[in-house]
């Protein structure tokens, strides 16, 4: 697993990059990660919260985990770290209009292309022997750009962020400042997504939408099946 994949794995398990913060004192914060260790003698898995402080790696024992998968174990460990008050929310800088550190993290991480979920999906598709166009318009006259496009098979793939596109599993309506703005923004994005789907489907395209929290390999299998059916 490369560095980008490891970061994405930790972000998914923690519930977002903004939820991986440790207060190291004096107004400073560090990004943490969870390390899992299997003890051969007992066959038990122990989880440790790790972060860098003053050039040294710090570590705190979180507890034992017993999930069926690595993803489940990481999720358990992050929940335990929060329950033990080992994590802290970094304050929003003065002058920022973002209502919370979470909102600021989402806005800062928002990119128009080459996000971590997109890169992971593209690498998985490449492993399956597929070649594709990146950030291209399926229909030249329609000003809508898909993240991955298979022109011959007429398959358009969109990798949607959970916050910006209103994921039914992870999106939570804003309850603090600017709630009206965010609600309208998300609803506008949803309506645009539906309009894009309809326009492409009417033109004979298959549209696949992948949430950023989905497993890239499972998503790649869905895309691969659609591309091969389209051929």
């Amino acid at each position: 697993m490369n560095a980008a994949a490891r970061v994405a794995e930790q972000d998914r398990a923690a519930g977002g990059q903004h939820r991986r913060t440790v207060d190291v004192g004096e107004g400073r914060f560090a990004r943490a990660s969870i390390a899992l260790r299997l003890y051969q003698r007992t066959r038990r898995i122990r989880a440790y919260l790790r972060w860098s402080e003053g050039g040294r790696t710090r570590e705190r024992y979180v507890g034992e985990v017993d999930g069926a998968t690595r993803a489940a174990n990481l999720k358990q460990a992050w929940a335990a770290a929060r329950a033990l008050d080992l994590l802290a929310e970094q304050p929003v800088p003065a002058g920022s209009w973002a209502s919370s550190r979470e909102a600021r993290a989402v806005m800062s991480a928002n990119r128009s292309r080459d996000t971590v979920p997109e890169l992971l999906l593209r690498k998985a598709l490449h492993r399956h022997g597929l070649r594709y166009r990146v950030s291209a318009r399926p229909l030249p006259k329609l000003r809508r750009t898909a993240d991955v496009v298979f022109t011959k098979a007429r398959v358009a793939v969109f990798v949607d962020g959970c916050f910006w596109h209103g994921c039914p599993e992870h999106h939570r309506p804003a309850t603090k400042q600017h709630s009206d703005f965010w609600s309208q923004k998300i609803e506008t994005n949803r309506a645009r997504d539906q309009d894009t789907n309809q326009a492409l489907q009417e033109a004979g395209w298959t549209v696949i939408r992948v949430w950023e929290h989905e497993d890239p390999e499972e998503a790649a299998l869905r895309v691969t099946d659609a591309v091969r059916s389209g051929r």
Side-chain angles (χ1 to χ4, degrees):
M1 185 181 292
N2 60 29
R6 288 195 295 270
V7 169
E9 179 185 54
Q10 293 284 343
D11 288 346
R12 285 194 298 270
Q17 186 183 80
H18 59 282
R19 304 193 72 188
R20 292 173 48 199
T21 307
V22 173
D23 186 348
V24 297
E26 299 181 354
R28 295 177 294 114
F29 296 83
R31 189 79 63 206
S33 62
I34 291 289
L36 300 176
R37 294 175 186 164
L38 172 63
Y39 287 79
Q40 296 293 341
R41 186 173 63 84
T42 62
R43 303 305 298 172
R44 292 180 176 178
I45 301 174
R46 293 182 177 180
Y48 296 83
L49 185 71
R50 305 185 70 192
W51 68 93
S52 179
E53 181 180 345
R56 298 178 59 186
T57 298
R58 303 293 184 180
E59 187 173 275
R60 284 287 300 275
Y61 175 62
V62 171
E64 292 187 356
V65 291
D66 57 0
T69 64
R70 176 178 169 82
N73 284 328
L74 287 173
K75 190 172 182 179
Q76 279 186 28
W78 280 111
R82 280 190 289 274
L84 293 170
D85 292 328
L86 297 178
L87 303 174
E89 181 174 343
Q90 185 175 356
V92 178
S96 173
W97 72 278
S99 58
S100 67
R101 172 62 54 178
E102 177 176 355
R104 182 175 175 83
V106 169
M107 290 186 288
S108 299
N110 186 45
R111 302 174 62 180
S112 60
R113 60 173 291 176
D114 295 337
T115 63
V116 170
E118 286 177 34
L119 294 174
L120 293 177
L121 176 62
R122 279 153 44 184
K123 288 181 179 180
L125 292 171
H126 200 275
R127 287 196 297 271
H128 283 276
L130 299 183
R131 301 299 179 264
Y132 42 79
R133 297 181 64 195
V134 175
S135 296
R137 293 183 185 178
L139 301 176
K141 294 183 179 180
L142 181 66
R143 298 187 62 183
R144 305 291 168 84
T145 301
D147 297 306
V148 179
V149 177
F150 298 88
T151 306
K152 292 184 179 180
R154 299 175 74 83
V155 174
V157 183
F158 298 84
V159 182
D160 294 334
C162 291
F163 178 84
W164 294 104
H165 295 263
C167 168
E169 183 175 346
H170 296 113
H171 177 72
R172 297 294 182 270
T175 58
K176 298 181 181 179
Q177 299 177 30
H178 312 294
S179 59
D180 291 341
F181 168 82
W182 288 115
S183 296
Q184 182 178 355
K185 175 65 176 176
I186 301 306
E187 287 306 314
T188 298
N189 288 346
R190 284 172 169 168
R192 182 182 175 87
D193 291 343
Q194 293 176 358
D195 181 68
T196 300
N197 293 350
Q198 182 176 349
L200 290 176
Q201 289 166 355
E202 290 177 352
W205 283 73
T206 296
V207 178
I208 297 178
R209 290 195 173 270
V210 178
W211 289 112
E212 67 171 320
H213 69 260
E214 290 188 57
D215 180 89
E217 184 60 31
E218 292 180 1
L221 290 175
R222 281 200 289 135
V223 175
T224 300
D225 289 342
V227 171
R228 290 173 178 169
S229 296
R231 289 174 178 171

